[in-house]
Amino acid sequence: MTPPPLSLALSLALLSLSRSRSNSLSLHKVVMAHFREKKKVIMNCVQVWHDKGTDGLKTKLAPVIEELAAEFAKLMTVEDAQQELSEAQLEVNFILEKIQYLEAKVKAAGKDAKLKVPKAYRRLKMGPQLLEQAQDRVKAKQEQLAEMEKKAVEKAAAAAAEDDDGSAEDK
């Protein structure tokens, strides 16, 4: 197996350092910001290892991927969720544009389109399924965003209540 990319190795080193110096709040914030920024790179790297690995490696990495996904979900912010929703919506728009292009190409080829433009014909037939999957991702990202916004409101309300309790004790 190939060695981990530098970004993944750095990520693991930062995580180890963060855990060993748990009393350093600023270091912890830096590490968490790093992981928020690099989560896609890390997930993609581990997923590639899983996909290209032996059956034994796949068995070992499957729970790791689940654990990483769960940990990255804890780091998710409202802004992250908005970005992911935006990316999912762009994917839907891209697929819709591609379907329109393929429809025009197949239509221009006439009644023998299956023979004249076979790739376009096959891709057009795949379009509805790909569109449905992309729309499902948008729906999941909308739900994720709503959940993140709800958590942010709850966190702000708890902080406000704590501030109110603290100021009442000061009086």
Side-chain angles (χ1 to χ4, degrees):
M1 182 178 6
T2 60
L6 183 58
S7 62
L8 183 58
L10 178 61
S11 296
L12 296 173
L14 283 173
L15 181 60
S16 176
L17 184 60
S18 170
R19 287 183 177 163
S20 67
R21 297 183 183 179
S22 58
N23 59 353
S24 174
L25 185 59
S26 60
L27 177 63
H28 180 72
K29 287 181 179 181
V30 169
V31 171
M32 293 303 104
H34 168 79
F35 276 98
R36 263 194 297 282
E37 186 66 29
K38 295 292 184 179
K39 69 182 177 184
K40 287 183 183 178
V41 172
I42 295 167
M43 286 299 292
N44 287 341
C45 182
V46 176
Q47 188 65 51
V48 167
W49 291 346
H50 176 271
D51 295 344
K52 292 184 177 181
T54 63
D55 289 341
L57 183 61
K58 288 179 181 184
T59 302
K60 290 178 184 177
L61 286 179
V64 172
I65 291 171
E66 289 177 22
E67 185 178 345
L68 281 172
E71 289 300 316
F72 286 139
K74 293 176 189 175
L75 297 175
M76 177 78 61
T77 64
V78 171
E79 293 80 14
D80 294 336
Q82 289 170 333
Q83 178 65 31
E84 288 186 8
L85 174 57
S86 177
E87 290 170 6
Q89 290 168 330
L90 287 172
E91 182 182 6
V92 167
N93 292 339
F94 173 80
I95 292 170
L96 287 170
E97 289 175 11
K98 191 70 168 178
I99 288 173
Q100 289 174 343
Y101 164 77
L102 292 170
E103 285 173 341
K105 189 170 185 173
V106 167
K107 185 178 179 183
K111 71 177 190 172
D112 291 330
K114 192 173 185 177
L115 299 172
K116 291 180 182 176
V117 286
K119 285 184 182 178
Y121 186 83
R122 279 195 312 271
R123 290 176 181 158
L124 180 59
K125 293 296 180 192
M126 293 174 12
Q129 180 183 6
L130 294 173
L131 181 60
E132 182 179 348
Q133 291 169 353
Q135 289 170 331
D136 288 345
R137 280 190 290 278
V138 167
K139 189 174 188 177
K141 295 301 178 185
Q142 288 170 332
E143 291 169 358
Q144 179 184 42
L145 177 57
E147 182 65 27
M148 296 311 304
E149 289 173 335
K150 178 182 173 189
K151 286 181 182 179
V153 167
E154 290 171 352
K155 187 175 180 180
E162 191 175 293
D163 286 346
D164 290 345
D165 290 344
S167 59
E169 290 174 8
D170 292 341
K171 292 182 181 180

